[in-house]
Structures are given as structure tokens and as C-alpha cells.
Amino acid sequence: MEKQYVTTSESPKVVLEIHGNLRLKGWDELQVGAKTDSENNLTIEQQDDTIRVRSFNDSKVSVPRQAIVLVEVVDGEATIKGLEGEVRPTHFRGVTT
């Protein structure tokens, strides 16, 4: 299992490119965290208050509740819970709940 975390503000912009299923949840931490079951298929890049998460497997991503999330790609099903900020879906190939 691979896990990565970056420290951020209460309302970062988070860009997601997930080539698999996505479980996205808001949490009370000032971090963006991501984990996937396989090694070397996950990257998190940070530039100022924008964080890009890219994964080539099913992934669990946790973001501050007030985050602005731009979902560029999800190649599977997406489950989104606990977010109070804006979620902008761009491209889903599966079911979103």
C-alpha cells in the first residue's frame, strides 16, 4: 500500500486524476492524503495552494472539508462524502454517489 500526504490550508484547490475507482472524503485535517493498494502508482504534487493527485489504481483521497475539488478524470466509480467546499466534476466514466 502506498500513502502520501501534504500539508495545506483549510480550502486548497485539489485536482484529481484517478485511473480507477475513487473514494473521496472531507476531513478535519489540514492535509491532503491519498492511498492506493499498489506501489509506484500514486503522485501528489503541490504548487502554492493547489494540489494535484494522480493515481493509476483505485484510490482513497482525503481533503480538508472546505477544499475546492476539480475532478479531471475518474475511470471508475466515485464516492464523495463529507465535503462542504465545491466539487467540479469534469470526466467520470463510472457511477458517482
Side-chain angles (χ1 to χ4, degrees):
M1 177 176 289
E2 185 173 3
K3 299 179 186 178
Q4 293 185 27
Y5 298 90
V6 295
T7 301
T8 188
S9 69
E10 287 183 14
S11 56
K13 178 180 176 185
V14 181
V15 181
L16 301 177
E17 181 184 333
I18 309 297
H19 298 278
N21 295 324
L22 169 66
R23 289 179 57 195
L24 174 65
K25 73 172 188 174
W27 65 354
D28 295 324
E29 304 294 325
L30 295 181
Q31 291 183 326
V32 172
K35 58 184 168 180
T36 183
D37 287 336
S38 65
E39 298 291 323
N40 303 317
N41 283 314
L42 175 66
T43 60
I44 297 181
E45 300 168 350
Q46 183 174 18
Q47 183 174 3
D48 299 320
D49 211 26
T50 298
I51 293 95
R52 175 176 288 275
V53 178
R54 185 177 293 124
S55 172
F56 293 93
N57 253 345
D58 295 350
S59 301
K60 296 177 183 176
V61 179
S62 300
V63 301
R65 292 187 190 281
Q66 296 295 326
I68 297 167
V69 180
L70 174 60
V71 182
E72 287 188 344
V73 175
V74 173
D75 283 338
E77 295 182 6
T79 303
I80 302 170
K81 295 182 179 179
L83 290 176
E84 297 170 5
E86 186 176 351
V87 177
R88 298 180 199 159
T90 302
H91 185 77
F92 287 103
R93 291 189 182 145
V95 177
T96 305
T97 58

